[in-house]
Each structure stands twice: as C-alpha cells, then as structure tokens.
Amino acid sequence: MSHIHIPDGILPLWLWVLGYILIGIFFIIEAFYIKKSQKQAKFSLISIMAALMLLTMSIPIPFPVPYHINLSVLTGIILGPTLAFFAIFTSNLLLVFIAHGGITVIGLNTLVIGIEASLGYYAFKFLYKKTDKIFFSAFTATFFALIISTFLTIGIVYAGTHNFSTFSNSHCSSKGVHQEKLSVHNEKHLDNEQIEQQKHNKTEEKFNIKRFLSLMFIFGLIGWILESSLTGFIVSYIKRVKPDILHKFEKEKDIEKIKNENS
Amino acid sequence: MKIADLDYYATFGNTFLHKVPVKLKLFDIAIILISALFIKNIYTLGVIYAFLLLILMFSGIPRLKTFKISLYPLIFASLFLFSVNNLTLPTALNLIFKVLCISTSFAILILTTSYIQIFKAMSGFLPDIMVNILFNTYRSLFIINNTLDNLLTTVRLRGGVSIFRPVYSLKTIGNLVGFFVIKSIETSEKMYEGLKLRGYSDKVFCSRD
Amino acid sequence: MEKIIEISCFEHVYPDKTKIELCGIEFIVCKGEKVALLGPSGGGKTTLIKHVLGLLTPSHGEIRVFGVDPYKEYNKIKKRIGVVLQNVDEQLIGPTVLEDVMFSPLNYGHSQEESKEMALKILEQFGISDLKDKIIHYLSGGEKRKVALAGALVLHPELLVLDEPFSGLDIRSEKEFINLINQICEEMRISVVISTHNVELVSEFADTMYLISSKNRLSTKGSPREVLYMDEELKNYSLEEPTIVKLFHSLKNEGFSFETNPINVEEAVEALKK
Amino acid sequence: MEKIIEISCFEHVYPDKTKIELCGIEFIVCKGEKVALLGPSGGGKTTLIKHVLGLLTPSHGEIRVFGVDPYKEYNKIKKRIGVVLQNVDEQLIGPTVLEDVMFSPLNYGHSQEESKEMALKILEQFGISDLKDKIIHYLSGGEKRKVALAGALVLHPELLVLDEPFSGLDIRSEKEFINLINQICEEMRISVVISTHNVELVSEFADTMYLISSKNRLSTKGSPREVLYMDEELKNYSLEEPTIVKLFHSLKNEGFSFETNPINVEEAVEALKK
C-alpha cells in the first residue's frame, strides 16, 4: 500500500508541483552523475526492472484481498539506492496511461517509492551483513521500508488535505470567513465563538487523519506482510540460483566476516 | 487489463481517434487535466465527463473495457472519501467527477495511441538517459511478457496455487517471480550486448520527433 | 476404443480478430494413441493445444477431453493430463531439479515425503537421478526438456501433451528425447498429442498424423506413411517433404518404381535393394 | 587470400570454471568465404563466436579479426562486422522495423536522412519494404530474423556472423532464410561465419566446415562433402549424419558402390541413376 494511489485532483497544486520539482532536481543531478561515471549501460537494467515492476502487478495473488506485487524494495536491492528512482519513475509514468494512479502525483509517487527502495536497499545491506540470513534480511528490510513509506504517504496526504474544506467552492468561502473570525476574535467573544465553532465543526467537511490512518493500516498491514514475504522468497531464490546478482552484498558480507574473525 | 492488450488496440485500431495527431491528443488531455483540476463547479465537471463519455460511445474503441479501466482510480478515491468527516454529496461528486474526467481521458488516449507515439512526443523535453529507458522499457515489456505468460500457464497446468496453503503458495509465487527476475536480467544483459554489437554509442537510440 | 479427446469443427477468434478455424474432419485421440499435429509455425497448432488444455474456449464448436469441457472443468481433469509446452525454459520453477519435479505432487496435496519419493522414482525411470540436486538454470536444453517431461509425468497422467518439444535441440538430443517419449509412453500406456513442424521426425513416434495448414483449416488425417507421401497436400500446407520422401519422389519422376513408400533410412535401403 | 579471422589454439575458462578449449587446427576465415561451425548444443560454438566479437577474451591463445584483437579494439573493427545473435528478439531494438534498421547508421554518425535512405534500400533488397512501419513485436519469427539480418547488413560490413540462425524456424522458413543469406552474400561479397547444429542444412551454404565437439576441442575442418562423410568423426562429435549421407552409408554397407558422395537429393538421384 505504499503507492500513493491518490487520484488526480485531491492534492493541492503546490504539493504535487513540489514533488515534480524535487524529483526533477534529483534526476538532473543523477543524469549528470551517470554520464560522468560512464554508467549509461545501466539503462538496460533500469528498463528491465521497470518492465518487471509493471508486469508482476498482473500476477494473481491467491488471497482474498485484491493485492498486487510492487517489487520496489527488490528494485532497490538490484539497482541500488539511486538508480532505482529511474525505474520507479518509468513504471509510474506507464501506469498513469492505464489510469492506475494520477499524472499529477508521479513526482510525489516516485519520491515516496524511491525512498522506500533506497531504505530497503540499505536495510537489507545492513541486516544481511550482520545476520547472514537471506530471507530474514529481505523480509525485515521490506517490512521496515514499507512502514516508513506508508507514514510518508500519510504525511503527504495530510499535508495536502488537512484544510480539505478548500476543496469545493461552497466551503471555500465559509472557511475564509471562519478564519477571519478566528483571527479577530478576542476574549469577549470567546464563548460565542466557541459555540459557533463547535457548530461549524459538526457540519464542516474535514479530512479525518485518524480514519485515513486506520484505513491505510488495515489494508497496509496485509500488504506489508505479503510483499515482505514475497520479497523474502524472491531474494532467497535468486541467492540460490544466481547469486552473482547479489554479488555486491556478498562482498560486503565477506569483508565483515574477515573483520569479525580478525577481532 | 494487460498492457500488451492495450498496446494491440492502440497499434491496430482504426478509429478516427487513432488518426488524430498525437500532439493534439496530448494537448487535449492537458486541457482536460487543467480544467478538472481547477474547475470547482460540479455541473461544469459533469458536463465535461458527459462529453468524454459521448466520445467514448461513438469512438468505436471497446467501450466496456475503456470504461472499466477508467473506473479503477475510484477505488482509491473512495478510500479517501471514507476518511472525510461530514462528507456532503456535492463534495463527493466533485471529487468523483474530477477523477473520472482525468481517468477516462487517459483511458481513451491509451486505447488509441501507442506508448511509442506518446514517448516520441515526450522525448523532446526528456534527458537522453530517460528517453533510452522509456523506449527500452517498452521493448523489454513485450519480450519478458511472453516469459511471464509461460510461467503463469505452467503454474496453472501443474496444479495452480491454492488459497488454503498460503505460505506454500507464497513461496511458489516467490520462486516464480525470482525465476522471472533472473531471466529478465539475463535478457537485459543480452539486449545490451546486442546494442553494443550494433554500434550503440551511449547516445539516444531512437529518433526523436 | 475410448476416446480421450474429441473436437468437432471449431473456430477461435483472437481478440485481434485473427480467426483460427479448424474444421474439415474431427480431431480424435483414442486411449493409448500417439497423435502428431504437423503444420508450419503460426498454423494454429498451439491454438488447438491451448483449447485442449482449457486455456482457451472456442467461439464455435465443441471440445471434450475425458468427456468434459476443459475450459469450464479443467480442475476435474487436470490430474489426468501432463503437459510440456513449447518454451521449456520457462516452465521449470523449482530451484533444483528435485524440487521442480515435486511441484505437482505437492500441489495436489501429497505430503513432502510422498512427493519426494514420487519425484525420485520418475527421475530414476528417466535415467537422470544424478541431476536431482542440480540448479535448473544451469542445465542444458536437452536436460531441461527431460526434467520438464519428468515433472509432467510424475503423477502418471493418462494423456501427455507436448507442444513443439524438439525446437532448439540438436539432432542427437532430438532422437534421444523421442526415444525417451516412446519408451515412457509404452511403459505407462499413455496417450500422447505432439505438435511439431518437424516433418523429418514425425514418423518416428506418431501413430496418427493431422496436418494443420496456415490457412487454418484442419483437414488431413492419416498414418505418417500416408500423409508424408501426399505431395500436393504437404505443399498446400506449406510444408516440405522429409528428405527420404523427396528422394523417392524424384526417383519415381525419373522413371523408377517401388513397391513401398519408405519413410526412414532402413526402409529406403530395403526398397533400393530391390 | 586475405585472412579475416585467425584463431590459433585458444582456451577460455568461464567464471564457474567450465573450460572451453578449441585447439587442434587453426580457425581461419578468408575474404569471401562462407564458414560453418557445426557442433552439438553446448559444444563451444557460441563461445567461439563471442571471442570473435570481442565479448570474451581467451585465457590462453590469440584471436585476430581484421588483424586486431577484437576484445581490446572492437571499436576499430565494429563497423566491418554485422551480427545476428541466436535470440533475435533481444537484438531488435525497434520500436518499428525502419527505426531498428536505422539504428546502426545513426549510431555511426550518419544523418537522419542518410540513415533512412540506407535502411529503406536494404529493406527493399530484402524484399521486406512492406514491413517498414510494423512494430517489432508483432512480427513472426521468420520476419524478425530477416529484419535482424537487414539491421546487421545495412552498413555493408565485410564479415557477417550468425549464431544459430535457424533455431525455431520451420523448414520452409529455414530454406527461405538460407536462400536470402546466400543471395545477399553473393551480392555484397561478404564473408560469413555461421554456427549451427543443423547437419541437414549446413551443406546448403557453407564452403568450409569446422566441427566443434562437446569435448570442446576444435579439430576437424573440410568442405561439407568431406566432413559429412566422416562417419566416425561425426559420431565423436555426437552429431548425426544427414539423412542422405546415412542412406548412402547404409547402401555402401550393403555392398553397393558409388562414384560420388552425394549430400543433397539432386545428387542422390544422379548417383542412384547410375
């Protein structure tokens, strides 16, 4: 549930434009770095991971909830913490055209899932180095990354919608009036004000962060467990069949081992 | 609906919408997007949506399929609407219309315009590496899609996965995806080898529009 | 004789409106029979096989496998059918050979021990016990095919379906694989349906042959000897005759006459001696 | 004659320690020569080809292509080599046929117009101009192969390298593809290296044949007629003789004698007439 499946039209302009700006800056720096470090060859791997993310979504999961695999943490593990952003951006962009997610939120989406992938990568690297248990490391890393990114999502939605009543025009004006009143209120009018405000609160449309949080968590928890176990199984499989894909982690681990032995 | 099927309609369909220049279509989408984002009047939004439905009705593209695709974002819109205290009908309708306007126009676009055309139109203002990634992703999608189809068919023919043994089923799917990942990575390596042999010089490999 | 597959004139329309129509004669596979579907690539062989396996349902016509409609009730018959599809590479799921062969038994509710026993038994029967701990990914093409076949036969199905089982194999591996199929089918007494575009090999395993044309009409049926000597028919189906058949056709055109229609080297030697 | 490829005894060790050793005789391809590498799957054909293309470098031994070491200086010679790999799908970049064929010219610095002209010309030469706006993944296997070949030849290289170009094609498409290769090579006068496991087809295009064994030693060289009649050699390389050769071997064992060693149907008819 880490995708911001928020459709277009909910988040305010400043927020999603900010998302685009941040991701744009990131990409410019990254593209420069890729060119400098002669890593252009990576585009092939990036695109295959984007294609993988898109296609694995259609794999039916035999659970009563409609759930689709994301593979964001796996993408992080395979591509590394920065290149994963490109794959994630690409898959988001392609998804927009099949009405799966909004076009305005691509920037934010890429940010959140990219951070998820990066966190997953670092968590996996750390855990695998320490424990040498492949399934455990992948599972925990994914679970951890998903929790963080869900909070990030909730935070973004909250930042964008806590003053939700600006949403439709009728409430827009009343809110304006309301704020004006609040700003000019003084001790004398306090009682009056409070009564009025309570009245207003009862009828005002307000984004309920608690309810959203619990909805996200109920759906989220199932998703986290599914995604984490799947990532665990996938990474274990890769480790058994083609360990050189996880080569970079193995190296790290070996160095750690030698260190331990020496100490 | 699968991307491969959508691409097929977009490529081989022959409706009047298929013939509209891509840039014009993207321009229209942009207008609809901006209107949907900034118009707050429910009736205006309703009219735009009705207009889009009308286009869908008479466009000659598969109506039901397109309609179904366009409904998908409603699931998430409703998740959001459930979280609003004292929700009123106008607000709900306002949001639903916004969402539907945008999703319907994208659904119509993707059934009448192939990804290649869209990418080409976009390639003018994207960095080199992004253009390569987009075109290569498109190509990779179709190469590895066959692999996935074969894998899923095999699992089905060999007994399928069962909801009653969740851990075993998850492990099976994990193995399947793991295999798919390995196979895909190998494919990407070979694709890059092929590119190199054909003289790829770290530039954009597709002609920009 | 018990009919395992029965297909009367049927038609399939793909989403892109490609129409595959396989009519003309009935397609029937009896118990214990080995049937080959011969036709050029893209001629509808795989479509037919997908219908038998319940992966597709026809727009018109009826398909019966073990007496039921496979599309609707595949679950009822799935245990009785073993399948190896075209791209073997993408059908082996287990990380190791043993785990892959154990996949079906486990899925059908056998215990871990039972499944392992069954898998080991079939691997032994196939003479590939030594592969059991190998990682699938590093097997050769021929070995992969054997493992896939073992996986398909581990539950002793009554019908074996093979889609283009020889593509990509070198001639030696092809022959080996055919011998294995023939041997196993005899031992287990199962019916087989094989689709192939390889005219040279078809006579070595098939009792009955169906020709499927690129114009997508199923219409010619017969024994390999009959069908392979139908010069005109083969051309219509855009197939080439096997080398031996071609040689004897040429010799006949040169005025020689033979009593028999040889389809393999041994028979050809016999015929030429006379 | 000018030697385009020269390989003396060389050895390659893969990371998993599989050792591929191709020694015995020198592997040489002269200007204008058509050379076939024949051997069973997994016998080192692809390894040899990867060395020629500079994708691998040998642990021992030396490889010279156009006089340079391809691993170190492939850039110098890459324009002179056209390649079609085993899985054409992975080599076609698309999105459309025309754009795919234009890929190499564009990357070698030709302008958009020039590249387009070159691509159109070669497509016409191949008789596939009608495919030019088609999207790659909607082509048939045979068409894809033709497009890949067009893409490899668009810059008129001096050497064409084909790795298993026939796998997965039906016999008719194989023949078509061989005819195309033969015709184009004659027109453009290029040298060709083809790896294949198909003993039946090899005589139809090769001037010289090398046998590569699964024991990974390159050692037998000769014209198809010579090599295909080396009964014992072929067995050592775990290859089967082509049908016609097998027939004539059997006939000779039965006491018949022939003046020639036929390798195709026409020659066989001639021989038998006598």
Side-chain angles (χ1 to χ4, degrees), chain A residues 107-205:
Chain A
L108 289 170
N109 241 337
T110 307
L111 265 183
V112 171
I113 306 172
I115 290 171
E116 179 183 311
S118 289
L119 283 176
Y121 167 85
Y122 286 116
F124 176 75
K125 192 170 150 183
F126 175 77
L127 287 167
Y128 189 47
K129 203 161 77 175
K130 291 283 171 210
T131 65
D132 197 20
K133 286 184 183 118
I134 190 93
F135 180 86
F136 167 80
S137 310
F139 181 94
T140 319
T142 313
F143 203 79
F144 162 75
L146 287 174
I147 290 181
I148 304 283
S149 74
T150 307
F151 272 107
L152 215 58
T153 306
I154 294 170
I156 288 172
V157 174
Y158 184 70
T161 51
H162 65 281
N163 52 351
F164 177 67
S165 31
T166 51
F167 188 72
S168 54
N169 51 0
S170 53
H171 297 281
C172 193
S173 52
S174 77
K175 173 91 186 185
V177 173
H178 176 66
Q179 270 177 341
E180 235 167 61
K181 276 182 189 164
L182 277 176
S183 62
V184 296
H185 84 268
N186 53 38
E187 293 251 336
K188 255 189 190 172
H189 295 108
L190 192 66
D191 287 352
N192 250 347
E193 269 298 317
Q194 268 176 345
I195 291 162
E196 204 175 283
Q197 200 185 341
Q198 269 168 4
K199 254 190 214 164
H200 197 97
N201 271 350
K202 264 179 201 160
T203 54
E204 188 198 20
E205 290 177 322

Side-chain angles (χ1 to χ4, degrees), chain D residues 58-76:
Chain D
S59 324
H60 290 288
E62 202 190 17
I63 289 161
R64 300 254 127 205
V65 181
F66 292 112
V68 304
D69 177 347
Y71 187 74
K72 284 186 196 136
E73 306 181 280
Y74 192 72
N75 277 338
K76 279 193 190 160

Side-chain angles (χ1 to χ4, degrees), chain B residues 28-51:
Chain B
D28 292 341
I29 291 264
I31 291 182
I32 293 169
L33 188 69
I34 292 167
S35 331
L37 288 179
F38 293 102
I39 291 174
K40 288 182 175 161
N41 184 312
I42 303 170
Y43 300 104
T44 321
L45 285 171
V47 169
I48 297 177
Y49 184 51
F51 174 68

Side-chain angles (χ1 to χ4, degrees), chain C residues 79 118 121-122 125 152-158 188 190:
Chain C
K79 265 189 172 174
M118 289 164 106
K121 207 176 137 196
I122 194 112
Q125 204 174 351
L153 293 178
V154 62
L155 288 166
H156 294 265
E158 294 157 60
M188 295 188 171
I190 44 183

Side-chain angles (χ1 to χ4, degrees), chain A residues 218-232:
Chain A
I218 292 166
F219 285 109
L221 192 65
I222 305 170
W224 297 339
I225 294 172
L226 285 175
E227 180 82 25
S228 309
S229 350
L230 267 172
T231 310

